Amino acid sequence: MKIENFPEKIRELLIPKPEGKLIFRCLNCQSIYNTEELFYTCPKCGEILLIYDENFDRLKKLPPALWRDIFDYRKMLNIDSLKGIYRYYEFIGSIIPINSIIYLGEGNTPVIEANSYLQNKAQIRFFFKNDGQNPSASFKDRGMASAFSYINFLIKKKKFKNILAVCASTGDTSASAALYASYIGDAVKSAVLLPYKKVTPQQLLQPLGSGAKVFEIPGLFDDCMKIVENLSENYNVALLNSKNAWRILGQESYAYEIAQEFNYDLKNKVIVVPIGNAGNITAVMNGFIKFYEAGIIDNLPKIIGVQSEHADPVYRYYSESDPAKRRFTPLKARASVAQAAMIGNPVSMPRVIWLEALYNKLAGKQKVFFVQTSEQEIIDWQLIANRNGHIACTHGGETLAGLVKARKEKIINETETAIIDSTAHALKFSNFTDKYFQNNFEKEFKITSKPELCNAPIFVKPSTAVENNFEEFVKEISDKIAANLKISKK
Ligand SMILES: *Cc1c(COP(=O)(O)O)cnc(C)c1O
Ligand SMILES: [Zn+2]
């Protein structure tokens, strides 16, 4: 719709101008730093940072109903930069002029209600939010759109030129970073570090296809992370992992979209997300907190973080019920089909600890929970979802398995409605589906295929008699297919 056709009171609010005062705040010593420079950790104490708007209170002055109108009307606006995560501009990175925003089609992902078979099986009403329908086929694009829009802004301001963007990755961060860097062009080169043979073939080809330098490192993601941390401390590079707080800001859009999708009514809603490096759950908690503080939503939904028993340091931390006795212990991750979350030492753990306490405090009761699932449950639930119209990846299977677990553990009941995150597209992880169908998982996964969930192509072999007669070939093959399908003649 053209701007002149919108209601008058909303017109001047639709196209935002830079405003607010964004700062990095250390979650440990509370020091604050200017966002004109790229910081990843606190120069004083080394702890992780989050971005805050020092003028956030101005956002509370606008009536909540007007905010909702702004976001709803912005959906009808034909301005590329405001079509993705920046529909929520004022809450996401409100110092970036809209002509610096990089938009590759991220965000605004579909929320699809599960069919009645699946809802019966899970014993709860639920929806998948398909973040695999982002441009590089995972939710990471939300955070990259934010981080690269900011980098683009700094380049335009001539603060930076020739940026080398680096990241460690379990596969999706690198695919996304390489894609966004390649769009900006010459001013940004990207280099990605991957754990050797611990990403899928598709995820390896994505950054290669975008023209990034790809380094394979023997070891696990946690080892790659230490190397990029070392690089970012000692060399002139821009770190694109979720340690970079700009990534978190963009990923908050996931929470805002859910609020808008459900008409800002989050009473009795449950959000289920998988946890790897814990950037996603950080962003989801922070996003809902910001909308709650601005009055845009008046209920904080329940949040359930899910981990595989092969990579469950966050679950273990919270399995101690007395907060005073909790101790975080990194662990060595084991083989997991939820491979993008195969992380033993999540970088965002201090953010999770900080925000979980704040979230529950604001809600006045426990609203953040953690559950653990087996590898078998993860892939079985993925394949069941796939057989019922969903494009869920293994992590989508993990959230569905986590939802079922949360129902069993009575963390949620049948009167609630869940929105579960399929963080990537099933196609990225189809090698695991293949292993399942062939029943050849390596022992360490502890997965045995259930025949009723397996499938295989049927090769239809023509007889030699029809080799040189195409009409006969068509007839014979049709007959063989009809016999296999047990269909009768008209
Ligand atoms: C990165 C990733 C995760 C884990 O998210 P964190 O922010 O690292 O906790 C889960 N699923 C997919 C598909 C991912 O790419
Ligand atoms: Zn500090």
Side-chain angles (χ1 to χ4, degrees):
M1 204 197 282
K2 286 184 188 153
I3 197 89
E4 59 266 30
N5 297 332
F6 284 91
E8 203 156 344
K9 64 162 188 176
I10 214 86
R11 265 182 232 165
E12 60 185 25
L13 298 167
L14 282 185
I15 302 171
K17 287 184 197 63
E19 56 170 24
K21 185 163 186 287
L22 299 193
I23 48 105
F24 289 112
R25 184 186 293 154
C26 170
L27 294 183
N28 180 41
C29 73
Q30 305 294 319
S31 299
I32 62 172
Y33 306 95
N34 197 312
T35 48
E36 290 282 292
E37 258 182 272
L38 277 173
F39 287 110
Y40 311 109
T41 50
C42 172
K44 271 191 208 130
C45 77
E47 197 48 271
I48 203 157
L49 308 165
L50 267 184
I51 295 174
Y52 286 88
D53 188 339
E54 285 209 304
N55 295 340
F56 188 83
D57 281 351
R58 81 185 187 284
L59 304 177
K60 298 180 184 167
K61 294 203 182 104
L62 221 59
L66 191 54
W67 275 124
R68 296 180 201 127
D69 283 348
I70 292 173
F71 302 138
D72 291 350
Y73 280 116
R74 264 188 201 152
K75 261 184 144 171
M76 292 189 268
L77 203 60
N78 284 320
I79 295 179
D80 282 353
S81 52
L82 300 175
K83 281 182 184 164
I85 62 168
Y86 287 98
R87 185 193 299 158
Y88 313 98
Y89 180 88
E90 293 83 352
F91 290 78
I92 279 194
S94 59
I95 57 170
I96 303 174
I98 64 167
N99 62 9
S100 291
I101 287 172
I102 307 287
Y103 171 70
L104 299 186
E106 63 286 334
N108 217 355
T109 53
V111 176
I112 309 295
E113 182 160 10
N115 66 13
S116 53
Y117 172 83
L118 270 185
Q119 299 203 20
N120 272 333
K121 215 166 151 64
Q123 290 288 300
I124 190 165
R125 179 164 194 230
F126 75 98
F127 298 76
F128 269 107
K129 186 160 169 67
N130 285 342
D131 257 29
Q133 286 177 262
N134 274 300
S136 79
S138 87
F139 78 85
K140 300 293 198 301
D141 296 331
R142 298 176 179 276
M144 289 303 168
S146 165
F148 277 98
S149 294
Y150 183 63
I151 286 174
N152 195 38
F153 168 52
L154 296 180
I155 293 169
K156 283 197 175 187
K157 272 201 352 189
K158 311 244 180 318
K159 271 221 76 114
F160 281 124
K161 52 176 188 203
N162 302 328
I163 290 185
L164 179 63
V166 298
C167 66
S169 179
T170 51
D172 291 334
T173 300
S174 46
S176 183
L179 180 70
Y180 283 80
S182 71
Y183 185 81
I184 295 183
D186 285 345
V188 183
K189 299 254 176 309
S190 73
V192 309
L193 277 69
L194 301 174
Y196 180 59
K197 293 221 184 278
K198 291 285 184 296
V199 306
T200 70
Q202 297 87 320
Q203 289 171 320
L204 175 60
L205 283 162
Q206 283 186 290
L208 288 171
S210 297
K213 279 248 181 192
V214 176
F215 298 95
E216 296 186 295
I217 315 288
L220 300 180
F221 168 83
D222 296 289
D223 307 306
C224 295
M225 191 66 217
K226 287 284 178 248
I227 297 164
V228 293
E229 281 173 342
N230 191 283
L231 283 170
S232 71
E233 277 156 27
N234 296 296
Y235 294 89
N236 231 335
V237 294
L239 177 68
L240 264 303
N241 281 95
S242 53
K243 194 164 190 179
N244 179 339
W246 284 95
R247 285 269 315 279
I248 303 294
L249 270 188
Q251 288 173 199
E252 287 168 8
S253 59
Y254 183 83
Y256 305 149
E257 285 176 16
I258 288 176
Q260 188 170 16
E261 181 83 25
F262 288 89
N263 297 316
Y264 309 96
D265 176 12
L266 297 182
K267 197 158 179 275
N268 289 325
K269 300 293 187 301
V270 184
I271 313 299
V272 191
V273 294
I275 305 178
N277 221 9
N280 194 22
I281 193 165
T282 293
V284 169
M285 288 191 285
N286 210 37
F288 285 125
I289 288 173
K290 279 157 73 173
F291 259 26
Y292 185 72
E293 290 191 325
I296 297 169
I297 53 173
D298 43 29
N299 273 288
L300 285 169
K302 263 183 204 166
I303 294 177
I304 298 175
V306 191
Q307 293 208 293
S308 157
E309 62 187 10
H310 283 184
D312 60 353
V314 183
Y315 170 79
R316 282 173 194 238
Y317 176 86
Y318 284 103
S319 60
E320 166 58 62
S321 55
D322 179 359
K325 286 201 199 131
R326 288 178 186 149
R327 291 283 170 279
F328 182 71
T329 333
L331 48 81
K332 191 167 168 11
R334 289 176 286 155
S336 177
V337 291
Q339 193 170 250
M342 210 183 116
I343 295 173
N345 190 13
V347 162
S348 280
M349 193 62 203
R351 291 170 172 157
V352 173
I353 294 172
W354 175 268
L355 290 170
E356 183 263 357
L358 177 63
Y359 199 94
N360 290 332
K361 191 172 143 223
L362 287 172
K365 62 176 174 218
Q366 189 181 358
K367 285 264 186 172
V368 184
F369 300 86
F370 300 88
V371 298
Q372 183 210 47
T373 62
S374 69
E375 288 294 313
Q376 184 78 50
E377 290 165 329
I378 292 172
I379 195 143
D380 285 350
W381 278 111
Q382 180 208 340
L383 297 175
I384 294 168
N386 293 165
R387 282 175 165 256
N388 283 277
H390 296 281
I391 55 166
C393 64
T394 47
H395 313 80
E398 184 178 10
T399 54
L400 179 49
L403 176 70
V404 171
K405 193 59 63 79
R407 275 289 281 121
K408 285 215 177 92
E409 293 179 3
K410 304 218 164 15
I411 292 169
I412 49 178
N413 64 46
E414 70 286 352
T415 67
E416 294 173 272
T417 297
I419 299 94
I420 74 175
D421 196 348
S422 176
T423 43
H425 198 292
L427 290 175
K428 277 207 188 209
F429 298 89
S430 51
N431 57 322
F432 291 120
T433 304
D434 189 52
K435 276 184 201 285
Y436 193 98
F437 289 173
Q438 316 262 356
N439 198 12
N440 66 0
F441 268 105
E442 291 81 355
K443 251 214 191 86
E444 57 264 34
F445 284 93
K446 301 205 192 102
I447 291 174
T448 325
S449 306
K450 295 192 169 61
E452 69 272 23
L453 292 177
C454 288
N455 207 352
I458 300 155
F459 184 71
V460 191
K461 200 169 178 288
S463 65
T464 45
V466 302
E467 235 166 43
N468 295 319
N469 187 333
F470 186 66
E471 264 170 46
E472 288 295 313
F473 168 83
V474 170
K475 191 178 166 308
E476 182 187 303
I477 300 288
S478 306
D479 289 347
K480 285 185 169 168
I481 291 172
N484 180 286
L485 294 173
K486 298 188 180 72
I487 41 181
S488 53
K489 275 218 156 92
K490 281 206 248 188

